[in-house]
Amino acid sequence: MSAASIAPRPRPASPSTRLDLDTARSILREAAAAGRSSLLEPEGLALLRAAGIRTPTSMFLPLGTGDELDAIATAGLGTGPVPGTAGGHVAERVVVKVVAEEIVHKTEAGGVAFVAAKPAAIRSAIDAMREQLEGQAELRGFLVSELVAHDPGLAGELLVTLRWTPDFGPIVAVGAGGIHAELLAHDLRPGRELAIVSTASTEPREIAAALRAATVVRLATEPQRGRAPLLPMPALVDTVSRLHELGRRCMPGELLELELNPMAVSDGELVALDVLVRLATSQATAPRPARPADAIRRIDRLLAPRSIAIVGVSSGENIGRTILRNILRDGFDPAAITIVKPGASQIDGCRCVPDLASLAGPVADPVDLLIVAVAASAATELVCDAIERDAAESIIVIPGGFEETAAGAGHATRIREALDRARQRPHGGPVINGANCMGVRSGPGRYDTLFIPDAKLAAPTGRPAAPLAIVAQSGAFAISRLSRLEGIDPRYVITVGNQLDLTIGDHLEHLVPDPEVRVVGVYVEGFAPLDGLRFLRAARAIADRGGVVILYRGGRTPAGASASASHTAAIAGDAVVTSALARSAGVVVAETLEDFDDLVSTFVRLDGRRPAGTRLGAVTNAGFECVAIGDSGGGLRIGPFDDATTATLAGILEHRGLAGVIEVHNPVDLTPMADDATFADVANAVLDSPSVDIGLIGNVPFTIVMRTLPSEGLEEPGSVAARLIALWRRSTKPWVAVVDAGPRYDPLVRTLAAAGIPTFRTADAAMRTLASVVAHLGPRV
């Protein structure tokens, strides 16, 4: 490498100039051909210039530069504007940086110096670095750059990164930059530390809105107490768009990550002061081959089969027998169930056949659903046989042992290869759910493979199914949610396990047109390659038709951070990226398991009750709860009641002899003196108020003048529970109840919840959930 080889390219004449793809690929491929996994900084700066991104005026001084230093330094710095760079004045000070592939964080290694723009000072800095660093790394030379004037404060330095992610493809992240990038990101509120934009799922018109999610972006691009914006938003959007294009054209085959830290805000423009580029050392995992349209439509047969076959049913007790009993319990026709079991004629009234050949026969139609509940070693042969025979439209593979171990990976490979062959035939092969899953509970399909007996997990109640689908990578997660969501029967519970074939994205995509599914709860630990994009598109489509997707993302440690040299991997782990992109697609992201349960339960119970605005009306009989409601306002507005409501409330209190004790304001603090009737009448008046869009009714149930225990007539007419249930049935506004008390008052909670009222145990949990409801279902502003 020579100094001339990295001379700055002319800057594009206008921001609309396209990526110089030939130059960019030449830089990347030359480094890859040399066996390197990253670019040297001079090469990285040249790559940025090829993308039309500004860099400082700089010159590379190869190792061994001596007498030429004066000429090279003078030619590269301080001689007037250099197109494509931030130069344009005689430099008084310069930055000297070591160039070595092994030294990534140069400041920490002592590889950065700020010196006078004079040959003697530059030479002294280079000599000092050589003495300190030679022997620690292979030094390639030194980069001498102009010192770009900028404010090094929070809004003056940005971290901007283009990164390939296996879930979503290329993404661009923007956050606080400089040496404190990680500390600032960790200390800022979750969701505000970074703006993350997907090159594939974010429309160009949406980029600016997505960038405003980051606190530092708003600090830089918006006025602050009379200070004009440091950076026009279009300048940042332009940089992100250029990185989008670079990622779209060069990832993942040639480029994995490009980090700019810091990117300085200088005179209203962005200048990349430092760049780290990681090359693709091997081909990134490709998405799975596309299925024929007929194959993906077979999810209908999976969720609503007309016929079922089961392999793995014992004459005694085992998983397969429990699955059979659960299917029969849910009302599936025994005559449409076949058990593959040699030596038996029938089990529990269902016919048996000795093998798959007998199941399909030479002319019989494929069974709609084949359930395989035997060990992985036996399951592989059975599943491959079923695929080759076109014996089933869909298959659920229950056992684990497929991809959790090296030996299991071979089983999975055999099945995928059989599927690939089948999808070249006219039938197109089945769809497969699993492996390592608990299968499906389907209300419309009248079957349940979750293999948990009724004594351990409540069976469906028989009431109309809730407008809810749970799609989970973990079966244990799904059944735990079912147990906690007492009284709610989801339309579907789908556990996908290893996603050997069908993925989270497949199932969500299939649910998009189903008007009976308006709430989807999703648990994911990791997407199949690029399936995160399908998830985002399907989630956005569900939100656009008035539904809601609620996501809990497991595996929250920053993936690969310990093995990565970049700040971005430490800050923007897989979970952070997923959450940010999901929010931008209209997904409600749950931060805790408890929040997930609260959100799912509340959105289901409030189905059909949309808030007209953000104005909260609250009633409680405890002062501390009024304070908690005020402290947890979030996106809710707690303002005064209108005059008519105030008069109505005053009249109720006067009639009950409480006017001199209780003052009318929002929230209403009824104190423990309010009895069942007073409490319910006030709640009625608040929810009827035209100045209230959404309500919170908090009951701290210890008062002796209110019937809140079974021994006091909890469910009798006139009790506070009976009155609140009547209010729920009459009112069309969204509201929730809070019972802040211990286990003795569980019957009160169960009574309210059984009537469909969203009921919480603390006011702050209720307020967090209501804020999400209003943000998602409220009017768009």
Side-chain angles (χ1 to χ4, degrees):
M1 179 189 299
S2 67
S5 69
I6 62 157
R9 297 179 55 257
R11 189 183 183 189
S14 71
S16 62
T17 302
R18 303 177 70 86
L19 165 72
D20 184 346
L21 184 61
D22 289 342
T23 298
R25 281 186 166 156
S26 175
I27 293 167
L28 295 168
R29 290 172 179 175
E30 182 178 336
R36 290 194 274 121
S37 60
S38 62
L39 294 185
L40 301 174
E41 186 170 358
E43 296 166 327
L45 294 172
L47 179 65
L48 294 180
R49 290 190 289 272
I53 294 172
R54 297 197 75 182
T55 66
T57 304
S58 59
M59 291 298 294
F60 175 64
L61 307 178
L63 203 64
T65 298
D67 296 336
E68 306 98 328
L69 179 59
D70 293 1
I72 292 175
T74 301
L77 296 171
T79 58
V82 179
T85 71
H89 60 279
V90 176
E92 295 181 358
R93 291 177 65 78
V94 295
V95 185
V96 181
K97 300 181 186 179
V98 68
V99 177
E101 187 176 9
E102 300 90 341
I103 302 177
V104 177
H105 298 306
K106 304 177 187 68
T107 301
E108 291 89 332
V112 178
F114 299 87
V115 301
K118 297 180 179 180
I122 296 171
R123 183 179 293 107
S124 176
I126 289 173
D127 290 343
M129 289 184 198
R130 290 188 65 173
E131 182 177 351
Q132 179 178 344
L133 298 175
E134 275 188 324
Q136 300 181 29
E138 182 184 355
L139 305 187
R140 301 296 189 96
F142 297 87
L143 187 70
V144 182
S145 303
E146 67 168 315
L147 184 62
V148 175
H150 70 284
D151 179 357
L154 183 58
E157 293 187 339
L158 303 182
L159 166 69
V160 182
T161 299
L162 169 68
R163 180 157 70 96
W164 172 263
T165 66
D167 295 347
F168 305 101
I171 60 109
V172 175
V174 180
I179 61 174
H180 304 302
E182 292 179 32
L183 174 65
L184 290 170
H186 292 156
D187 283 357
L188 288 170
R189 184 159 63 90
R192 295 298 186 186
E193 73 277 35
L194 284 175
I196 298 177
V197 183
S198 164
T199 66
S201 68
T202 307
E203 297 291 334
R205 66 180 183 277
E206 299 171 335
I207 292 176
L211 291 173
R212 289 190 183 96
T215 297
V216 69
V217 170
R218 296 200 310 279
L219 287 174
T221 60
E222 297 175 3
Q224 304 295 326
R225 292 196 174 185
R227 187 209 73 189
L230 298 178
L231 179 70
M233 177 61 82
L236 181 56
V237 170
D238 177 66
T239 296
V240 170
S241 299
R242 292 178 184 280
L243 291 174
H244 271 192
E245 180 67 7
L246 182 63
R248 188 178 71 84
R249 304 300 291 271
C250 297
M251 286 181 161
E254 297 162 308
L255 176 64
L256 287 183
E257 183 176 29
L258 185 154
E259 178 182 281
L260 310 177
N261 185 33
M263 200 162 200
V265 179
S266 179
D267 292 331
E269 296 188 280
L270 285 170
V271 184
L273 302 189
D274 197 70
V275 58
L276 169 67
V277 181
R278 287 198 304 126
L279 306 176
T281 54
S282 61
Q283 182 62 41
T285 305
R288 293 170 186 173
R291 307 174 189 84
D294 286 346
I296 199 64
R297 283 199 291 269
R298 291 191 176 108
I299 296 179
D300 284 332
R301 300 279 65 83
L302 171 72
L303 296 181
R306 298 161 299 185
S307 57
I308 294 177
I310 312 173
V311 182
V313 177
S314 170
S315 300
E317 298 298 325
N318 73 341
I319 286 176
R321 188 68 177 274
T322 300
I323 290 172
L324 174 61
R325 287 173 175 164
N326 286 352
I327 292 172
L328 293 170
R329 176 205 68 201
D330 284 3
F332 203 89
D333 183 3
I337 300 173
T338 303
I339 299 166
V340 179
K341 183 174 178 61
S345 59
Q346 69 86 29
I347 296 177
D348 291 341
C350 302
R351 76 177 183 116
C352 297
V353 298
D355 49 35
L356 288 177
S358 305
L359 171 69
V363 294
D365 290 334
V367 68
D368 277 353
L369 173 60
L370 172 64
I371 301 166
V372 178
V374 295
S377 55
T380 301
E381 298 296 334
L382 283 163
V383 172
C384 289
D385 189 22
I387 293 170
E388 296 299 332
R389 293 178 181 278
D390 291 332
E393 301 282 7
S394 64
I395 303 173
I396 294 176
V397 183
I398 298 291
F402 278 84
E403 291 180 306
E404 303 93 314
T405 65
H411 296 310
T413 298
R414 286 188 58 196
I415 291 175
R416 287 196 178 106
E417 289 173 348
L419 271 177
D420 289 344
R421 292 191 298 271
R423 285 173 179 158
Q424 306 307 311
R425 302 196 301 265
H427 177 261
V431 290
I432 297 179
N433 192 85
N436 190 24
C437 74
M438 298 185 74
V440 173
R441 177 185 279 189
S442 171
R446 295 171 293 116
Y447 81 94
D448 177 4
T449 73
L450 298 181
F451 62 81
I452 305 297
D454 292 351
K456 294 283 189 179
L457 181 68
T461 63
R463 295 192 296 266
L468 168 66
I470 295 175
V471 182
Q473 196 167 353
S474 163
F477 176 92
I479 61 175
S480 295
R481 306 287 63 77
L482 277 179
S483 179
R484 292 176 63 88
L485 296 172
E486 188 174 359
I488 295 177
D489 291 340
R491 185 172 175 83
Y492 300 111
V493 178
I494 303 166
T495 69
V496 301
N498 292 354
Q499 304 179 84
L500 188 151
D501 179 36
L502 289 177
T503 64
I504 295 280
D506 288 328
H507 282 295
L508 214 66
E509 198 173 81
H510 183 263
L511 295 172
V512 168
D514 188 343
E516 300 303 317
V517 176
R518 295 181 289 280
V519 182
V520 184
V522 178
Y523 171 80
V524 63
E525 295 167 0
F527 290 102
L530 296 185
D531 193 54
L533 284 175
R534 299 186 63 204
F535 164 81
L536 294 177
R537 290 166 181 154
R540 186 186 293 267
I542 290 171
D544 287 345
R545 67 164 170 80
V548 58
V549 176
I550 300 162
L551 172 70
Y552 182 83
R553 174 64 154 85
R556 295 184 170 225
T557 55
S562 61
S564 174
S566 74
H567 293 285
T568 308
I571 297 170
D574 290 348
V576 173
V577 171
T578 300
S579 295
L581 294 179
R583 287 189 180 97
S584 70
V587 173
V588 177
V589 178
E591 296 297 334
T592 67
L593 292 172
E594 184 177 8
D595 285 346
F596 181 90
D597 293 341
D598 288 343
L599 288 163
V600 168
S601 174
T602 303
F603 273 99
V604 168
R605 296 182 191 279
L606 293 182
D607 182 49
R609 299 174 182 243
R610 283 185 172 265
T614 63
R615 298 170 301 174
L616 176 78
V619 178
T620 178
N621 59 347
F624 85 89
E625 206 161 59
C626 288
V627 175
I629 291 167
D631 287 345
S632 307
L636 302 172
R637 289 190 292 146
I638 307 173
F641 296 119
D642 59 283
D643 292 344
T645 300
T646 300
T648 299
L649 292 171
I652 295 170
L653 297 176
E654 179 70 30
H655 177 70
R656 302 291 181 180
L658 297 173
V661 179
I662 298 171
E663 185 178 348
V664 175
H665 52 70
N666 187 19
V668 181
D669 178 6
L670 286 174
T671 78
M673 298 179 67
D675 61 11
D676 303 76
T678 304
F679 188 91
D681 287 349
V682 169
N684 266 282
V686 168
L687 290 174
D688 281 346
S689 170
S691 58
V692 170
D693 302 310
I694 192 164
L696 185 153
I697 311 301
N699 187 288
V700 179
F702 305 104
T703 176
I704 61 174
V705 299
M706 199 176 289
R707 289 179 283 170
T708 55
L709 292 171
S711 60
E712 299 172 331
L714 166 64
E715 298 187 51
E716 293 178 3
S719 69
V720 69
R723 291 172 184 270
L724 290 179
I725 290 169
L727 172 58
W728 176 259
R729 292 169 179 166
R730 182 188 65 78
S731 174
T732 59
K733 282 184 182 175
W735 61 275
V736 302
V738 177
V739 178
D740 195 337
R744 180 168 299 194
Y745 295 90
D746 286 352
L748 173 58
V749 173
R750 286 196 296 268
T751 298
L752 297 175
I757 303 173
T759 306
F760 294 80
R761 301 310 288 260
T762 64
D764 58 343
M767 291 292 287
R768 284 197 306 272
T769 305
L770 284 178
S772 294
V773 169
V774 168
H776 191 83
L777 297 181
R780 297 290 183 261
V781 294

